Amino acid sequence: MIDATKTGMNDVIGRPISDLPRLDPKSDPKRRAAGNVARKDVVRRITNQVIFYSLLIGAWALLAKLRVWPPYLFPPPWNVAEALWAGLMDHTFLIGIGVTMKRMLVGYSLSVVLGMILGLGVASNRFLEETLGPLLVSLQSLPSICWVPLAILWFGLTEKAILFVVLMGCILSVTIAMEDGRRQMPKIYTLAGRNLGASGFRLFWHVMLPASLPYIISGLKQGWAFGWRSLIQAEMIFLTVGLGQLLMMGRDLNDMSQVIAVMIMIIALGYLVNRLVFRTMERALQSRWGLTPTS
């Protein structure tokens, strides 16, 4: 028998949990070291980005000062900044951003739902896999701009035509990603789920979908990029309110400062969506599955 009085167990037994000593994560030297390394990495990355973009803007300003090209073809950075500020102040750019993002969200949401259903069907049915599967891969190589004439003939110069172009730009990437995720998933996952009583939608929701998430997120990211480009191209041709229409307006007015300002906004919006949405999803997936990003 162990003597509790000698081991000090009497000091612990009977005490409420709230009174028991707790480990402070900050007192762990390994955690502190990992936190310091992470902070240094963030500082290093921000410093590199500041240096890079400062040099890029400096080279841009230098070329503008040297007048390698006429100012109306190659405006300096400060002219583009003035055009960007003016467009934001009179709400022209804000309206264009709002309309374009609304179209993108509607078309992208439809493509995600339809693409996941179609991809799951192709991966689960041998007939569809042998017939529709190769066609989907071939259609993905078709530039999104090729769908514009078809959309105009089917829907006219309407909002539905633009949404159709966005849908066709996104859905193929999502479908193929869902198909690959379903096919690459180990069969033992499905067997285990069925042995535990899951079937139908429950089997898909609790087993197939989580196991396919790495492929699906990659497809969602690629689908967004394709759909975003398709939308801007469609707006440029349809000449409706949006960022694409602002690009064409700048071209028609021979205002290169506005053209570059709109291009910067398109790039910035794509960057923000990638960082705030897809990078967050990837980090959550890595944390959930215990994955470590490659360096």
Side-chain angles (χ1 to χ4, degrees), residues 188-239:
I188 192 174
Y189 290 174
T190 306
L191 296 175
R194 287 173 177 167
N195 289 336
L196 293 174
S199 62
F201 180 76
R202 292 182 60 191
L203 182 65
F204 166 76
W205 186 257
H206 295 287
V207 179
M208 295 182 180
L209 184 60
S212 305
L213 276 179
Y215 296 91
I216 294 174
I217 292 178
S218 177
L220 293 177
K221 189 175 181 179
Q222 187 181 55
W224 175 274
F226 287 165
W228 185 241
R229 288 183 292 183
S230 303
L231 175 59
I232 300 301
Q233 292 170 356
E235 289 182 345
M236 292 174 65
I237 294 176
F238 284 80
L239 292 179

Side-chain angles (χ1 to χ4, degrees), residues 107-295:
Y108 184 71
S109 300
L110 290 174
S111 68
V112 169
V113 175
L114 297 177
M116 292 183 67
I117 295 174
L118 185 58
L120 184 62
V122 172
S124 303
N125 187 283
R126 177 165 295 184
F127 175 77
L128 293 178
E129 180 182 352
E130 294 175 351
T131 56
L132 187 58
L135 178 61
L136 293 174
V137 176
S138 301
L139 286 176
Q140 193 182 27
S141 63
L142 187 67
S144 301
I145 195 68
C146 295
W147 295 105
V148 174
L150 193 63
I152 295 176
L153 292 175
W154 282 358
F155 305 103
L157 297 174
T158 63
E159 196 78 9
K160 294 180 181 178
I162 298 179
L163 293 179
F164 174 78
V165 175
V166 176
L167 180 66
M168 296 308 300
C170 299
I171 192 172
L172 297 175
S173 296
V174 179
T175 300
I176 294 174
M178 185 66 197
E179 179 188 357
D180 290 341
R182 173 67 178 84
R183 185 180 294 113
Q184 298 298 330
M185 182 186 69
K187 292 184 178 179
I188 192 174
Y189 290 174
T190 306
L191 296 175
R194 287 173 177 167
N195 289 336
L196 293 174
S199 62
F201 180 76
R202 292 182 60 191
L203 182 65
F204 166 76
W205 186 257
H206 295 287
V207 179
M208 295 182 180
L209 184 60
S212 305
L213 276 179
Y215 296 91
I216 294 174
I217 292 178
S218 177
L220 293 177
K221 189 175 181 179
Q222 187 181 55
W224 175 274
F226 287 165
W228 185 241
R229 288 183 292 183
S230 303
L231 175 59
I232 300 301
Q233 292 170 356
E235 289 182 345
M236 292 174 65
I237 294 176
F238 284 80
L239 292 179
T240 183
V241 177
L243 294 177
Q245 183 258 351
L246 292 175
L247 273 176
M248 298 303 292
M249 182 185 297
R251 187 207 66 173
D252 294 338
L253 297 175
N254 202 24
D255 187 356
M256 188 59 65
S257 296
Q258 176 173 324
V259 171
I260 297 178
V262 176
M263 292 173 61
I264 291 175
M265 286 195 301
I266 294 173
I267 296 171
L269 287 172
Y271 176 82
L272 288 176
V273 170
N274 179 65
R275 295 295 298 181
L276 298 180
V277 179
F278 296 111
R279 283 297 298 163
T280 302
M281 294 170 63
E282 290 173 349
R283 289 171 181 168
L285 183 64
Q286 291 168 357
S287 176
R288 178 69 180 271
W289 290 91
L291 303 175
T292 303
T294 57
S295 58

Side-chain angles (χ1 to χ4, degrees), residues 33-164:
N36 292 334
V37 171
R39 283 192 293 270
K40 290 180 180 179
D41 184 65
V42 172
V43 172
R44 178 190 57 80
R45 184 167 61 250
I46 293 176
T47 303
N48 290 340
Q49 291 176 353
V50 170
I51 294 174
F52 171 77
Y53 288 109
S54 298
L55 292 175
L56 186 63
I57 295 175
W60 177 7
L62 179 61
L63 286 175
K65 280 288 187 181
L66 294 176
R67 294 182 177 271
V68 179
W69 298 278
Y72 64 88
L73 292 179
F74 193 80
W78 44 89
N79 286 5
V80 175
E82 290 177 1
L84 182 60
W85 180 256
L88 293 174
M89 288 298 99
D90 63 12
H91 298 169
T92 302
F93 289 173
L94 296 179
I95 294 173
I97 291 173
V99 173
T100 298
M101 291 301 296
K102 179 182 177 181
R103 290 172 179 152
M104 186 64 197
L105 290 176
V106 173
Y108 184 71
S109 300
L110 290 174
S111 68
V112 169
V113 175
L114 297 177
M116 292 183 67
I117 295 174
L118 185 58
L120 184 62
V122 172
S124 303
N125 187 283
R126 177 165 295 184
F127 175 77
L128 293 178
E129 180 182 352
E130 294 175 351
T131 56
L132 187 58
L135 178 61
L136 293 174
V137 176
S138 301
L139 286 176
Q140 193 182 27
S141 63
L142 187 67
S144 301
I145 195 68
C146 295
W147 295 105
V148 174
L150 193 63
I152 295 176
L153 292 175
W154 282 358
F155 305 103
L157 297 174
T158 63
E159 196 78 9
K160 294 180 181 178
I162 298 179
L163 293 179
F164 174 78

